[in-house]
Amino acid sequence: MSSDAHAHAHADAHGSADDHAGTRSGQLIGFGLSVVLTAIPFLLVMTGSLDKQVTALIIMAFAAVQVVVHMIFFLHMNTKAEGGWTMMALIFTIIMVVIALSGSLWVMHHLTTNMMPVHEMGSTP
C-alpha cells in the first residue's frame, strides 16, 4: 500500500481529509483555544469585576465550550469516527449524568425542605 493510499484510507476512517483536528495546526488551534478559554475566566475571578453569580455562570459556559474543544481537537470525536459509536456513547453519557445530577439535586432539596426542624422565633418553651 502506497503512502498516498494509506493516508487516504486513514482520512476515510477518521473523517474527511479536510478535517484539521488531527494535524499539528489543529492541535495548536486547540491548544490556543484552551489557553484563551482558561485565561478569560481566570481574569474574571482575579479582577472581581462582575457579580459572583454572573462570574460563576460565565465560568460554567466557558468550561462547557472547553470540553467541546477538547473533544474535537484532542480526542478527535466527530459523527464519522468509529461509525458514529463515539457520538452515541457521548450522548448516552450526557443523558446519564443529567439524570444522576437532577435526581440527586431533587432528593437533596426535598430532604432539606422536609427534614429540617422549623424554628419559631417568637414562641418560648
Side-chain angles (χ1 to χ4, degrees), residues 92-102:
F92 176 76
T93 302
I94 290 171
I95 290 171
M96 295 306 293
V97 167
V98 167
I99 289 171
L101 285 176
S102 60

Side-chain angles (χ1 to χ4, degrees), residues 6 9 16 18-19 26 29 52 59 62 64 75 80 85 88 97 109 113 119 123:
H6 180 65
S16 67
D18 296 331
D19 187 15
I29 291 170
K52 288 182 181 182
I59 289 172
F62 273 81
L75 298 176
K80 297 176 185 172
W85 284 106
M88 293 298 291
V97 167
H109 170 73
T113 57
H119 298 288
S123 65

Side-chain angles (χ1 to χ4, degrees), residues 5-90:
H6 180 65
H8 183 68
H10 182 73
D12 288 343
H14 296 289
S16 67
D18 296 331
D19 187 15
H20 298 294
T23 63
R24 183 178 303 272
S25 64
Q27 289 181 342
L28 288 174
I29 291 170
F31 177 73
L33 286 172
S34 297
V35 168
V36 170
L37 291 171
T38 301
I40 292 173
F42 180 78
L43 291 173
L44 285 175
V45 170
M46 292 305 291
T47 60
S49 58
L50 296 176
D51 184 43
K52 288 182 181 182
Q53 291 177 340
V54 174
T55 303
L57 290 173
I58 291 172
I59 289 172
M60 286 188 282
F62 273 81
V65 172
Q66 193 167 38
V67 166
V68 173
V69 166
H70 282 247
M71 288 188 329
I72 292 171
F73 287 100
F74 301 123
L75 298 176
H76 312 294
M77 290 184 70
N78 57 27
T79 56
K80 297 176 185 172
E82 296 184 23
W85 284 106
T86 56
M87 194 58 63
M88 293 298 291
L90 175 67

